[in-house]
Structure formats: C-alpha cells, structure tokens
Amino acid sequence: MRTIGLLGGMSWESTALYYRLLNEGAAKRFGGLHSAPLILHSVDFAPIERMQVEGRWDDAGRLLSEAARGLTAAGAEVVALATNTMHKVAGMIESSLSVPFVHLVDATAHVVRGAGLTRVGLLATGFTMEDGFYEERMATHGIEVLVPDAGDRAEVHRVIYEELCLGVVSDASRDRYRDVADRLQTSGAQALVLGCTEIELLLGPGDTALPQFPTTAIHVTAILDAAGP
C-alpha cells in the first residue's frame, strides 16, 4: 500500500474522523493488525479561517500547496485534502504535486452517479454552498446541486463553525438540519450530500428522510483505492 499524505486540521475534529476511517478501512481491507501508512500535516485552522473570511483564497492555496509538497518530500505517494471547503483551491494544490491528488468532489460525484441520481441537496459551509466551485465540479459529472435558501445557509454555516468545529454536537442543531433537509427535498433534491466533514458528526443514516452521501466516508474509500494494495 502506498503512503498517504493527508492535509488536515480544517478542523482537527474532521481530521480525527479521517484518521479513524482511513485506519479502519485499511484494517478491513487487509485484516489483522494492518493500518494505513499515513503522513499527516495538520495546519493551524485559525489563520486559514481568517483567509476564508477575507477572501484570500490564493494565500490559502499557496499555504496548502507548500504543505502538500512537504508531504511528498516526507514520502507521501498519494495526497488528499481532508476538508470540503478548501477544495476551492484544490487546483492549486494538485498542480503543485508530482503524485496523485484524490479529489473529494470527484469521488462523491462518482458515487452519486453510481446510485443513479442527478440532483442533490448540499449541506456545507457558507463558502462551499455559495461560491459555486462545488456545483461547477459536480456539473461536470452531470449532477445538479441544490443549496438551501439564505437563512438556512447561514444557520448551517453557524452550526459548523460555532459548534461542530469545537466538538459540540447538539440535538437542537440536528433538528434544524433535518428541517433544512426537508426543505431541500421539497425543492426536488433526490439525496443529501453532507458537504462538510463535521456534519458527519451531527447527522447519520436515518436522521433525514433523504438518503445521505457522507463525503468523508466516500473520500476515504477513494483515498484507499488510490493508495492500492
């Protein structure tokens, strides 16, 4: 199995989920005491979050590209970015690498299309729901993305940054997310893409009427596939 380079820390709560799922996946594939050969660069999220708010995406892209090159210098043979939102700068990161980059949105789109679906609702950070990069990438796979209205987007974003990124999981917020999912279904969504890793700490199978596509679990499978036996 090739060594995986993981760019994480955005937030560390979501990176912890990636780490667990990658190792559980390796153990399931290979049995015994096997785990994932992995190099992790976990950034300080506060400066990244400031860059997001200030619209300094190129600065963030350069920072993450440098970190990605550091992973390959340390021996990573496959690189993945453990966050949905920062896939806005995935092109910058990928173009800086000489090893494969496993793109989360492509992996998710492949699974959605494999299920025979073409229209999904998206729950994610405000940046992911509003900046268009997610919809554009999904559209290249023939998938239409529906996003909540402005009020719902603001609440979904608030819960991510003020609760989930800090490890706070609230039943009240779960109920609010269910309501948002119901409105997306009424708008025509066939399924729900959990487009922020932290959301998988809040919603699980059966929590919404719509079937869910948890992007972290999907991405982890694609990373392990890319790393190979």
Side-chain angles (χ1 to χ4, degrees), residues 141-165:
H141 296 274
I143 298 169
E144 180 185 359
V145 173
L146 306 179
V147 298
D149 64 25
D152 284 345
R153 292 197 304 271
E155 179 61 9
V156 169
H157 181 89
R158 184 198 67 77
V159 168
I160 292 168
Y161 278 85
E162 296 183 12
E163 297 180 15
L164 299 177
C165 284

Side-chain angles (χ1 to χ4, degrees), residues 5 34 39 79 84 104 155 158 166 187 190 192:
H34 283 288
I39 302 168
V79 171
N84 279 264
L104 180 151
E155 179 61 9
R158 184 198 67 77
L166 301 176
S187 297
Q190 300 166 312
L192 193 65

Side-chain angles (χ1 to χ4, degrees), residues 16 18 39 41 52 65 69 76 124-125 144 197 211 216 227 229:
Y18 264 92
I39 302 168
H41 185 131
Q52 292 174 340
S65 296
R69 290 192 297 272
T125 67
E144 180 185 359
T197 302
T216 304

Side-chain angles (χ1 to χ4, degrees), residues 17 21 194 196-204 213-217:
L17 180 58
L21 291 178
L194 306 185
C196 178
T197 302
E198 286 87 357
I199 293 175
E200 294 171 51
L201 305 173
L202 183 67
L203 293 180
F213 288 90
T215 56
T216 304

Side-chain angles (χ1 to χ4, degrees), residues 119-140:
R119 183 182 296 114
V120 296
L122 176 65
L123 295 183
T125 67
F127 307 111
T128 303
M129 291 186 288
E130 295 171 4
D131 283 4
F133 70 94
Y134 216 93
E135 291 97 318
E136 291 167 8
R137 191 82 178 200
M138 282 287 207
T140 66

